[in-house]
Amino acid sequence: DPMTMQQRWHRAIGHSDAEVRVIGPNVFVGTGAEKGFREKVHKAFALDFISGQDQWRAELTESNWMPPVFIGNEVCFGTGEIYSVSHFGQLACFEQTNGKITHTLTTQAPLLGIPLQIGNTVVTSDLDGQICAFEWPSASKLWCRKTEGKKTFASISYDAKGNLIYPTAQDGILVLDEKSGNVLKTWLPKHSEGPWRKSFSRVVTSPQGWFISDSVGQVRKLINS
């Protein structure tokens, strides 16, 4: 209760690193396998906002680490393993109201970035730093762009000028064309601005500029001219 700070309800659903997402009467969240544990079953949950009871639950093929996204009447969970070698990821989508499976979209690495919907296109970023665009709802691949560097949890962003913005592991920020995936521009800090470090979060866009934080605590503001 936000007025009294008293607990309304509590659920122990399993290990979860993801934020919850709330829409209408439902609270959506997924579970994953923590390091050193051997969970074999990973689930997506829709909990009642008022009571915390299951509205539905569904089994996921792999662990879920990031918050789900809403695409039309669907809720979609990105999955993949981070504590074992894997060349598989999936975006698993369900009807929000009843948990019926609607679409599955498979990638060649764990799907760790938060997927992004732009009109009839869904853009994903995976643990290996690959960005891919898919037509929706057919889930047919439109293009993919590979980036270099170590594993990354970063998500892709979209700004008001139609740019796809991705903080790579080692080559700074890439700005991509949403239709083709072609690189429109890149940004790396100058020597006097300190080295580029891997980011675990997306670039935040606003009318005032782009904001990025990295793994060693640097926060930068960029002006996209």
Side-chain angles (χ1 to χ4, degrees), residues 39-87:
E39 291 98 336
K40 298 297 185 182
V41 178
H42 321 295
K43 292 186 179 295
F45 288 85
L47 307 177
D48 181 78
F49 182 79
I50 301 299
S51 68
Q53 297 302 305
D54 285 4
Q55 297 285 65
W56 55 262
R57 65 172 68 184
E59 190 168 326
L60 299 171
T61 54
E62 302 280 323
S63 295
N64 169 243
W65 301 105
M66 294 294 185
V69 294
F70 302 116
I71 304 175
N73 294 320
E74 301 170 72
V75 57
C76 301
F77 295 80
T79 68
E81 299 305 327
I82 62 175
Y83 295 116
S84 60
V85 176
S86 175
H87 302 287

Side-chain angles (χ1 to χ4, degrees), residues 67-156:
V69 294
F70 302 116
I71 304 175
N73 294 320
E74 301 170 72
V75 57
C76 301
F77 295 80
T79 68
E81 299 305 327
I82 62 175
Y83 295 116
S84 60
V85 176
S86 175
H87 302 287
F88 175 83
Q90 191 174 79
L91 186 66
C93 299
F94 307 87
E95 286 283 354
Q96 293 179 23
T97 54
N98 57 26
K100 180 182 177 181
I101 188 74
T102 52
H103 293 94
T104 55
L105 184 159
T106 300
T107 57
Q108 296 177 342
L111 196 59
L112 271 295
I114 303 170
L116 176 69
Q117 182 192 11
I118 308 167
N120 293 326
T121 302
V122 172
V123 185
T124 65
S125 54
D126 64 34
L127 187 63
D128 288 345
Q130 181 168 246
I131 307 157
C132 294
F134 300 85
E135 195 277 333
W136 205 261
S138 71
S140 58
K141 186 185 295 182
L142 299 174
W143 54 262
C144 284
R145 168 69 60 179
K146 180 69 176 174
T147 65
E148 300 301 324
K150 296 180 179 180
K151 311 265 183 212
T152 176
F153 294 0
S155 302
I156 199 158

Side-chain angles (χ1 to χ4, degrees), residues 16-33:
S16 179
D17 282 12
E19 303 169 21
V20 302
R21 287 287 186 261
V22 179
I23 187 170
N26 291 332
V27 178
F28 295 98
V29 67
T31 65

Side-chain angles (χ1 to χ4, degrees), residues 148-213:
E148 300 301 324
K150 296 180 179 180
K151 311 265 183 212
T152 176
F153 294 0
S155 302
I156 199 158
S157 303
Y158 187 70
D159 73 359
K161 296 182 179 181
N163 297 305
L164 292 173
I165 310 155
Y166 183 68
T168 68
Q170 67 183 38
D171 294 327
I173 293 174
L174 290 187
V175 181
L176 306 177
D177 178 79
E178 63 173 291
K179 301 297 184 184
S180 65
N182 292 335
V183 178
L184 301 177
K185 64 176 76 172
T186 61
W187 179 85
L188 269 171
K190 299 174 183 176
H191 180 74
S192 60
E193 296 171 329
W196 173 257
R197 303 290 190 184
K198 182 166 63 174
S199 174
F200 289 93
S201 62
R202 69 177 80 190
V203 177
V204 175
T205 65
S206 78
Q208 290 73 40
W210 298 349
F211 299 84
I212 182 69
S213 61

